[in-house]
Amino acid sequence: MATLEIFADYYQIYVADPAHIEDWSGLLNDQTLDDRVVAMAHTAVFGSGRNMMVPVDVVVHGAKPDLAEIITKADHAVAGAITCASGQLKLAGCTDNLLNAHAIAVAKGPIGFAFLSFDLGTIDPVEGLDGNDHYALHVWPEAQLAPAVVLKRWSCAI
């Protein structure tokens, strides 16, 4: 496991195969904002609670982990799969240069992912800049692609 600091500018964190740059902007809507995920063939975009530097734990598994176990303490969790033809995924914030982003070595082919958000309730509700929120990205080799789904939904009472 590695903990990375990612600048979640525009409340977005990306994981992508850098060999396939995809434009996902047409998929952004009220539902995907609420779900905090947009997934395409080679790219997944996750929503964060703040548009600041946020810690992201990256965990690479040899096989699909027990998702029920890893999401128990999460506020919000999504899962799905993308294809990685290059054998390397990049993890980046929205305005980061994908070529210089953090590299994650993975098997070529379908890659399952789970993205978990923790401690979203600690985010300052007025300015939204301060908080102890943190995130985790789990990846593993997958047999086939699966659409992105919400495993656990964050519900913020305002």
Side-chain angles (χ1 to χ4, degrees):
M1 178 178 80
T3 300
L4 306 174
E5 289 289 324
I6 302 294
F7 181 41
D9 203 10
Y10 296 99
Y11 304 91
Q12 298 165 18
I13 298 171
Y14 295 71
V15 64
D17 180 345
H20 298 275
I21 305 301
E22 297 173 301
D23 180 6
W24 61 272
S25 59
L27 300 175
L28 188 64
N29 57 46
D30 289 341
Q31 185 64 55
T32 56
L33 286 171
D34 189 46
D35 291 348
R36 295 176 179 243
V37 65
V38 171
M40 299 177 64
H42 303 277
T43 306
V45 181
F46 308 111
S48 66
R50 293 183 299 141
N51 64 342
M52 304 292 291
M53 295 295 288
V54 295
V56 179
D57 293 334
V58 177
V59 184
V60 179
H61 300 271
K64 184 176 183 176
D66 179 353
L67 294 178
E69 182 179 324
I70 67 171
I71 71 169
T72 58
K73 294 182 180 180
D75 292 329
H76 190 87
V78 298
I82 60 175
T83 298
C84 183
S86 69
Q88 175 180 266
L89 292 174
K90 294 287 190 138
L91 182 65
C94 175
T95 54
D96 288 338
N97 180 336
L98 196 58
L99 299 176
N100 297 329
H102 302 284
I104 305 166
V106 296
K108 291 182 180 181
I111 300 295
F113 67 78
F115 189 80
L116 295 82
S117 304
F118 299 92
D119 296 325
L120 294 173
T122 67
I123 298 170
D124 178 344
V126 177
E127 292 184 12
L129 300 177
D130 295 319
N132 293 318
D133 53 316
H134 54 104
Y135 305 87
L137 173 66
H138 293 258
V139 295
W140 60 88
E142 188 60 84
Q144 60 187 9
L145 291 179
V149 295
V150 176
L151 301 174
K152 189 174 186 180
R153 186 173 298 280
W154 167 248
S155 176
C156 179
I158 297 177

